[in-house]
Amino acid sequence: MPLQFTIPRAFYPPAAPLGRWVRQRSRDARHAESLTIIAVGVVLTVATLVSQWSWILLGEAAIDNALALWVLVGHIVGGGLLGWACLWGWKPAIAVTAEADDLEIQQGERTLTLDYEGIERTGRITADAYHRHWRRYAATHAFVNRLPDDLLLLRTTSGPVVLGLALDDLDSLEARLAEYVDVEEAETLVRAA
């Protein structure tokens, strides 16, 4: 009987329309995430300057002018559209299915199927270790929406895979994987200097 787990979707601003546009023109996901932060900063700075200049151009006429109301409405609508375009994004839910002979992980259109024979070792890592090392490692396939305290690290022949399951689901999946592969204790990363 297959085990099925779901990691719910999560709020993620780089998945907003601006972030998706930047990701299409970038060479990798981490680079796109960094460029998205810069692009959001530039867009919001330009929008702030345009807003200020519009009120400066209205000047003294803004007090009794009907145009001032339209400018205010334009600012509110424009701010809402910019907020949506720059910041309103979601990571899709992740479905993990442990079949009798393989493990299938699906997030949106992205699917990864791992044969149990291809998984060399499994172990838990901390959220800190994930952020300091595994997230930055280009070969890592990360399936994490909300960051739990412990994550499951699968060392496979095609590179490391990190799963951010809830604690109960993590225990169940680890027990299933223990039937097929070696489970190691969580590594303690020593910070030099």
Side-chain angles (χ1 to χ4, degrees):
M1 181 172 158
L3 289 175
Q4 294 183 334
F5 310 103
T6 301
I7 302 169
R9 73 182 191 150
F11 181 70
Y12 183 65
L18 178 65
R20 290 193 307 261
W21 182 81
V22 169
R23 194 176 324 120
Q24 289 173 352
R25 286 151 183 78
S26 180
R27 56 181 184 241
D28 72 354
R30 284 165 308 287
H31 186 246
E33 196 172 286
S34 299
L35 287 177
T36 299
I37 293 169
I38 294 168
V40 167
V42 168
V43 167
L44 295 180
T45 300
V46 168
T48 301
L49 290 173
V50 167
S51 170
Q52 290 176 350
W53 291 336
S54 67
W55 289 113
I56 290 171
L57 290 176
L58 278 176
E60 301 261 335
I63 297 171
D64 294 326
N65 194 344
L67 181 62
L69 178 63
W70 286 107
V71 171
L72 179 63
V73 169
H75 281 76
I76 293 170
V77 171
L81 285 174
L82 280 177
W84 169 79
C86 294
L87 303 172
W88 193 256
W90 296 87
K91 277 187 175 180
I94 302 169
V96 179
T97 307
E99 298 279 347
D101 56 348
D102 64 7
L103 180 68
E104 182 177 297
I105 308 163
Q106 183 174 10
Q107 183 178 25
E109 297 176 5
R110 182 176 154 204
T111 301
L112 180 66
T113 304
L114 300 169
D115 291 328
Y116 291 132
E117 297 164 357
I119 301 173
E120 297 166 352
R121 291 182 313 221
T122 68
R124 292 189 185 196
I125 58 171
T126 63
D128 190 44
Y130 169 70
H131 272 297
R132 288 187 180 191
H133 178 71
W134 296 106
R135 185 175 187 273
R136 296 177 185 201
Y137 182 45
T140 301
H141 301 283
F143 292 93
V144 179
N145 279 352
R146 291 179 177 90
L147 194 64
D149 292 334
D150 290 330
L151 296 103
L152 184 64
L153 173 65
L154 307 173
R155 294 182 191 240
T156 69
T157 53
S158 61
V161 177
V162 178
L163 292 173
L165 293 163
L167 189 58
D168 294 339
D169 295 344
L170 185 65
D171 292 337
S172 299
L173 182 59
E174 210 169 32
R176 169 64 68 94
L177 292 174
E179 299 171 13
Y180 303 101
V181 296
D182 293 332
V183 178
E184 62 185 29
E185 294 297 318
E187 295 180 13
T188 304
L189 295 179
V190 178
R191 193 170 179 194

